Amino acid sequence: MLRRWLGQISPDFALDLGTANTLISVAGEGLVLNEPSIVAVDDASRRILSQGRAVGHLAKQMQGRTPDSISVVRPLADGVITDFELCEAMLRYFFKKAQRHGWTLKPRVLVAVPGSITPVEKRALYSSTHRAGARQVLLIPEGKAAAIGVGLPIREPVASMVCDIGGGTTEVAIMSLGDVVASQSVRVGGDAMDRAIADYLRRRHQLRIGLPTAERLRIEIGAAAPLAQELVDEVRGLDVVSKLPRKVQITSEEVRAALAEPLEQIVDAVKRTVDACHPELASDLVDEGVVLAGGGALLRGLDRYLHEQTGLPARVSELALEAVARGAQICLEDLAHWSSALESSDDDV
């Protein structure tokens, strides 16, 4: 009786706990929070700065500009929690910020998780989310949430394929009749692309840059396929030899060369997923193709690159950035239908 009463009046959160960004959607309302998954902490006390408010956007502004006594930290890497204490503090702050209507009861939280998550990592996620203030924690595979979020007809007897490229992982899934029939999860995403760009500049131009600068280059001039008019940008960093600041010009062609390896890994995941699919369903993909979601899908020309490499039609969803959170929200709003696709912890309140 108590559980039923709490379920009727407490909020339901759909949580996309990403390596780069955390999104929260509220059942019946939509997206209410989208902030970087990052915190700024005092190294001596291990406490978050600014009375616990140096989280998300504020913490990202500090990245690369802090004294030695302060660290700007991502509590997640490759889609899983690496610092439990800071992840709990970050989630506690985000939950409180998402409760815009004065709710005081603990929310039920549906979390999207990568397919590569291990049982130990899954247990850590349950624990951190509970300790951050969740009443009940449910899990859904990111690939499935993304497919629902972009509006694929996954309940139909036809293959629907999604490739969700996040900050730490890429989730590829083929679905039919409401369930996953083939999937791949690889720990390659936007972060790997940024590291590849930074490594390229160090090798080719003897210039050391930070990952935020590499991310900016990826967004502003990065491309997976040749552009009609190649772009040029100026980048500043530290000379590897002289240890002094300098700047160089870099072209979109160079960024494309730097991204070759992580993009090949994503293409390989797509090919392996199709290869694991039944031939009858795989034949559907000749017409239906693959829908791209996640922040990494916004890389220029990625749809064309995937089409050239796989022969499958590819398109970027208009809801790429919020696809996972949106799909999880849809599941929350129709739990009776989607409950078989979800997993719950054993110690829900």
Side-chain angles (χ1 to χ4, degrees):
M1 180 68 69
L2 176 62
R3 182 186 293 270
R4 184 181 303 171
W5 179 76
L6 287 173
Q8 289 173 349
I9 64 175
S10 64
D12 285 344
F13 288 173
L15 174 64
D16 177 9
L17 184 59
T19 304
N21 294 282
T22 294
L23 290 80
I24 296 178
S25 289
V26 176
E29 293 187 32
L31 189 68
V32 298
L33 183 139
N34 182 357
E35 297 214 22
S37 303
I38 191 167
V39 296
V41 297
D42 180 271
D43 288 340
S45 65
R46 290 295 290 170
R47 291 188 176 181
I48 298 176
L49 301 177
S50 302
Q51 291 76 50
R53 295 193 299 271
V55 180
H57 293 304
L58 178 59
K60 188 167 185 177
Q61 292 172 7
M62 302 179 185
Q63 200 168 22
R65 295 175 169 83
T66 60
D68 291 340
S69 60
I70 297 174
S71 296
V72 178
V73 181
R74 280 185 173 182
L76 295 100
D78 298 332
V80 296
I81 299 171
T82 54
D83 191 312
F84 307 123
E85 184 179 349
L86 292 182
C87 184
E88 290 167 19
M90 180 183 75
L91 284 176
R92 192 175 298 114
Y93 174 82
F94 286 156
F95 287 169
K96 185 177 180 180
K97 192 170 184 179
Q99 292 179 333
R100 300 182 298 179
H101 301 298
W103 290 312
T104 57
L105 292 175
K106 294 182 176 182
R108 174 168 53 186
V109 182
L110 175 56
V111 189
V113 296
S116 58
I117 193 170
T118 67
V120 173
E121 292 166 343
K122 188 183 295 184
R123 196 65 204 168
L125 179 59
Y126 275 129
S127 177
S128 293
T129 311
H130 270 299
R131 290 167 62 93
R135 172 177 61 86
Q136 182 183 17
V137 181
L138 305 169
L139 302 186
I140 183 174
E142 279 184 12
K144 191 165 193 173
I148 296 169
V150 300
L152 288 177
I154 70 169
R155 297 179 181 179
E156 303 297 323
V158 63
S160 295
M161 185 174 188
V162 66
C163 177
D164 176 49
I165 306 172
T169 63
T170 292
E171 306 291 322
V172 186
I174 298 174
M175 278 147 290
S176 179
L177 292 173
D179 207 353
V180 177
V181 295
S183 65
Q184 290 286 327
S185 178
V186 291
R187 298 194 173 184
V188 177
D191 287 352
M193 295 181 193
D194 297 340
R195 289 192 295 268
I197 293 171
D199 290 346
Y200 177 90
L201 282 170
R202 188 183 183 95
R203 294 193 313 269
R204 183 68 180 266
H205 295 282
Q206 290 74 54
L207 190 74
R208 184 158 59 90
I209 64 170
L211 293 181
T213 300
E215 180 185 27
R216 181 185 64 80
L217 285 173
R218 171 169 60 91
I219 293 171
E220 295 185 358
I221 67 169
L227 302 174
Q229 182 175 356
E230 298 293 347
L231 305 173
V232 179
D233 199 359
E234 187 175 79
V235 59
R236 295 171 172 82
L238 285 176
D239 189 281
V240 173
V241 179
S242 70
K243 313 298 182 184
L244 295 173
R246 70 178 174 91
K247 57 186 179 181
V248 299
Q249 283 194 333
I250 184 169
T251 67
S252 53
E253 293 173 295
E254 291 181 284
V255 175
R256 186 162 62 252
L259 295 175
E261 184 175 346
L263 289 178
E264 286 174 4
Q265 290 178 272
I266 293 172
V267 168
D268 182 61
V270 171
K271 290 180 177 179
R272 283 187 283 120
T273 306
V274 174
D275 185 57
C277 186
H278 191 280
E280 292 299 321
L281 285 173
S283 64
D284 293 338
L285 299 174
V286 174
D287 296 321
E288 302 299 329
V290 56
V291 178
L292 305 178
L298 301 182
L299 181 69
R300 290 178 185 83
L302 183 57
D303 51 351
R304 181 155 55 96
Y305 172 81
L306 273 176
H307 175 63
E308 291 172 353
Q309 296 295 316
T310 66
L312 298 174
R315 64 178 176 88
V316 180
S317 170
E318 296 179 358
L319 302 169
L321 290 174
E322 57 188 74
V324 173
R326 178 182 172 86
Q329 177 196 335
I330 291 171
C331 289
L332 274 176
E333 293 171 346
D334 190 8
L335 274 179
H337 179 83
W338 296 108
S339 59
S340 61
L342 310 182
E343 183 177 335
S344 175
S345 64
D346 297 327
D347 54 354
D348 295 329
V349 178

